[in-house]
Amino acid sequence: MKAIDEQIVSSDKVFANTLMKKLSSMTFDRSRTVREHIMKMIDIAAKLKLLEVDMSTPFLMHFVLNSLPTKYDPFKISYNTHKDKWSINELLTMCVQEEEKLKHEMSESVNLVTRDKKNTIKDKSVPMKKKNCLDKDTYCFCNRRDTERKIF
């Protein structure tokens, strides 16, 4: 029984180490919402607390703020200069509001690529009907410089 208890303790330490590495390397990459990102960080902190690795709320809040991209810098400055201390739920709510604000501020852009007609070289691929093909709708594109045929 004693050996099993020792194995559980050592595996808990490894798991806590893994969770700490995961928490410290988390950054908000917009692959999910800011709410999901923060909730994931809170979940990891709760798992660490169960493993007797206590993390204070202010420490976790700074971890969360540091994981946000530079677009959130005005928000971070606002938090740091604010005299009141927020709870983690207030931080979560404020971050979601900031995310919505940033989405509305983000302008949509389209890149247009044009070619100057004077300097363009005519397209060298010419569609041709494949000669020895069973399928009537198969074409190949031959590059005039190469003898290689690309079949689509």
Side-chain angles (χ1 to χ4, degrees):
M1 269 317 241
K2 188 177 179 180
I4 293 173
D5 286 341
E6 288 175 7
Q7 282 184 329
I8 290 172
V9 169
S10 65
S11 67
D12 284 351
K13 288 178 183 178
V14 171
F15 186 53
N17 188 28
T18 303
L19 289 174
M20 284 299 297
K21 284 181 182 178
K22 188 173 184 178
L23 182 66
S24 63
S25 66
M26 284 182 75
T27 56
F28 179 58
D29 59 0
R30 298 184 67 179
S31 63
R32 54 184 178 236
T33 65
V34 73
R35 176 184 299 278
E36 292 168 337
H37 171 72
I38 295 172
M39 291 301 293
K40 182 73 173 170
M41 292 184 85
I42 293 170
D43 182 53
I44 291 172
K47 288 177 182 175
L48 285 168
K49 189 172 187 173
L50 290 174
L51 296 170
E52 299 176 358
V53 180
D54 290 329
M55 187 178 304
S56 69
T57 302
F59 185 77
L60 177 60
M61 291 176 69
H62 285 287
F63 244 99
V64 169
L65 288 170
N66 287 332
S67 72
L68 298 175
T70 56
K71 289 183 179 182
Y72 286 81
D73 281 351
F75 174 74
K76 294 176 193 179
I77 292 168
S78 174
Y79 170 76
N80 289 329
T81 57
H82 214 266
K83 291 187 179 186
D84 295 333
K85 291 189 176 186
W86 295 346
S87 69
I88 197 74
N89 288 330
E90 288 173 320
L91 178 67
L92 179 65
T93 303
M94 297 293 196
C95 285
V96 169
Q97 288 175 357
E98 185 70 14
E99 180 182 44
E100 288 300 317
K101 183 184 118 196
L102 290 171
K103 280 182 186 176
H104 290 296
E105 287 178 357
M106 228 171 62
S107 62
E108 293 183 23
S109 63
V110 175
N111 294 330
L112 176 64
V113 178
T114 61
R115 296 169 87 181
D116 185 13
K117 290 185 179 183
K118 294 176 186 176
N119 295 331
T120 59
I121 300 172
K122 290 187 178 181
D123 191 11
K124 303 225 184 303
S125 355
V126 179
M128 298 172 32
K129 195 71 164 173
K130 189 173 177 187
K131 294 180 181 177
N132 299 325
C133 184
L134 299 174
D135 187 6
K136 295 178 184 177
D137 297 324
T138 302
Y139 288 89
C140 67
F141 291 84
C142 300
N143 192 337
R144 289 182 183 167
R145 290 184 183 176
D146 296 333
T147 57
E148 177 184 0
R149 290 184 174 207
K150 297 175 185 169
I151 300 171
F152 296 97

